[in-house]
Each structure stands twice: as structure tokens, then as C-alpha cells.
Amino acid sequence: MSAALAPSATLEKKPVKFSNLLLGAGLNMFEVTTLGQPLEVVKTTMAANRTDGFVGSLSRIWQRGGVLGFYQGLIPWAWIEASTKGAVLLFVASEAEFYAKSFGANDFVSGISGGMAGGVAQAYATMGFCTCMKTVEITKHKVAASGVKPPSTWATFMDIYRKEGIRGINKGVNAVAIRQTTNWGSRFGLSRLAESGIRKTTGKEEGQKLGSMEKILASGLGGGLSAWNQPIEVIRVEMQSKTEDPNRPKNLTVGKTLRYIYSNNGIKGLYRGVAPRIGLGVWQTICMVALGDM
């Protein structure tokens, strides 16, 4: 009798409720408005200006607007993105993780499956134009440096739309999709793997719930280790950047951008900004995996 009840006790499908979607949106809004956007701005600035070090990037951002420079692109783009992608991630990842487990996958494989599905859904459903516009906002500082007042965020959006249409404001969306599927596949998968390790270390049974601090520790490890895909992020930033370079190829694809960055900056250029990216990965994963599970 107990054996027959075991699967239903360990495998529970979270109901699809409006409150769950609201939770995902709320957690992502909290994440981006606290540490998320400042780390995003530092990471993007370093990836776009690959000759700058960490201190040089901080100085560049400070000169751009002081404390507010670290929140450039937060309103409206990061808020629009956060309020939608968090709900999409929690819903799709939860569904995919459940079905992977129902087919017999372990926590690690089901975590990767859920994260990858959620990441792809995020990229194509909500993130393309928001990520592009955030990067434009962060990298258009050269206009201000020349003494000309930069256009407003909506004027910039409409200018890109008039010149390049939907493709222009979704520039780099394929790179975003690759980044998100590897991001959340790694974050969910490695977090679940860390949870299993914590259970073994603390003598808990498989499937037994972890404490809050144990969840946060597992999510922090999963988030930090997921920064292995930083080259994809540097490629994404370069594809969406408004930094002018006459040597940069026109009509960039993921492959062309990779060759361009490697020829100019080598392997180090592909990992520029990895330190703030690790911090961002830890914070995002704690918010979306640990707090989302609690």
C-alpha cells in the first residue's frame, strides 16, 4: 500500500493558478529592482567595452549618471521584461519539470529540462525586444559623450522600429534564446543537483523538502556555476550594442559576431563581464528557484 502511494507523494503537479503567475512576475520584479539591474548594467558595459576592466566599467557607468547610471534601462524595459518573463519561466519550467519526472527522469535531468523549456519560452515570448532595448539604453552613451542630448527611450525605440521594423527591435533574439535555455537549464539542473548533494550530506531522504537556507545555498551554487555560458552573453550584447565600430560586420549573426569578438579580443574577450554575471546568476537563481519553491 505504501509503495503504491509513494509516486503520488513525491510527484506533485503544481496547479496552474493566476497566483502562481503573479508570484513569478513579483519575484522577477523584486530581483531586477534590487541587485539585478545594477549587475546587468555592469555586465553589459564590460561585455560591450571589452578593453575596460571591472573598475573601468564602474567608472564609465558612474560618469554616465552616478547612482542612476546603474539603473539605466530599468524603466520601462527591465520592468516590462521582468513582469512577463518571470511568470512565463515559473509556469513553463514547472510544467516541463513535472512531465520530465513523470517519464522517469531524475531531479537533475528534469531540472535541466524544465529550465531549458522555460528559458526558450522566455526568449521568444517576452524577452527579445526588451533585452534589445535595455542594451541600446546602456550602450548609447557615446551620443551623450559627444555633447548631444541623447533621445528618449521611446524615441530610440520608434527610430529603430522605423528603420529596421520588428527584426530591428528583436535583434539578437536567437542569441537571447541560446543564452536563456542554457542559463535556466544550468540553473535549475545544477540547483537540483546541489539539493540532492545537500540531502545526502544532511542525511535527508530523496524528495524530502529542504530548509530555507539549504534551498538558498543550492540555488546560489546553481546560479554561480551557470555563468559558464558567458561567451553567448557577450555575443548577444555585441549583436544588440549601439557602440559604433567601422570594422564590425554588417547584418551580424551569432557566428559572425563570435568571429568578430575572437579576432579582436581573443578568448578573454568572450568572458568579459563574467564576474558580475556570476553575481547576477546567483541572485536571479535564489529569487526564481529558491524563493519560487518555498
Side-chain angles (χ1 to χ4, degrees), residues 199-216:
R199 285 191 185 93
K200 287 179 183 176
T201 304
T202 56
K204 289 185 171 71
E205 293 182 9
E206 193 64 36
Q208 188 176 345
K209 286 193 173 183
L210 298 179
S212 299
M213 292 309 298
E214 291 170 329
K215 273 276 183 189
I216 289 170

Side-chain angles (χ1 to χ4, degrees), residues 37-38 41 61-62 64-75 138:
Q37 190 62 12
V41 170
I61 296 164
W62 185 264
R64 204 158 64 209
V67 173
L68 293 179
F70 289 90
Y71 285 90
Q72 198 163 14
L74 176 67
I75 303 170
I138 294 166

Side-chain angles (χ1 to χ4, degrees), residues 63 105 119 149 159 253:
Q63 289 170 6
K149 185 180 178 181
D159 184 55
T253 62

Side-chain angles (χ1 to χ4, degrees), residues 68-184:
L68 293 179
F70 289 90
Y71 285 90
Q72 198 163 14
L74 176 67
I75 303 170
W77 308 114
W79 275 4
I80 294 171
E81 179 184 285
S83 62
T84 52
K85 76 173 185 177
V88 170
L89 175 68
L90 281 195
F91 170 67
V92 175
S94 176
E95 290 291 300
E97 193 169 0
F98 170 80
Y99 284 110
K101 284 183 177 179
S102 72
F103 286 113
N106 60 26
D107 285 349
F108 177 59
V109 174
S110 60
I112 288 177
S113 302
M116 290 181 73
V120 170
Q122 275 188 330
Y124 288 112
T126 69
M127 287 187 67
F129 77 94
C130 288
T131 304
C132 181
M133 290 309 300
K134 281 195 303 179
T135 306
V136 167
E137 283 290 301
I138 294 166
T139 59
K140 70 177 184 181
H141 61 88
K142 286 198 173 183
V143 176
S146 65
V148 179
K149 185 180 178 181
S152 70
T153 186
W154 289 109
T156 304
F157 177 85
M158 290 309 299
D159 184 55
I160 294 172
Y161 182 75
R162 278 192 297 269
K163 290 179 180 175
E164 304 176 62
I166 292 292
R167 293 185 72 178
I169 59 175
N170 278 284
K171 191 179 292 181
V173 70
N174 290 333
V176 173
I178 296 169
R179 183 195 72 177
Q180 289 304 104
T181 191
T182 51
N183 265 3
W184 288 109

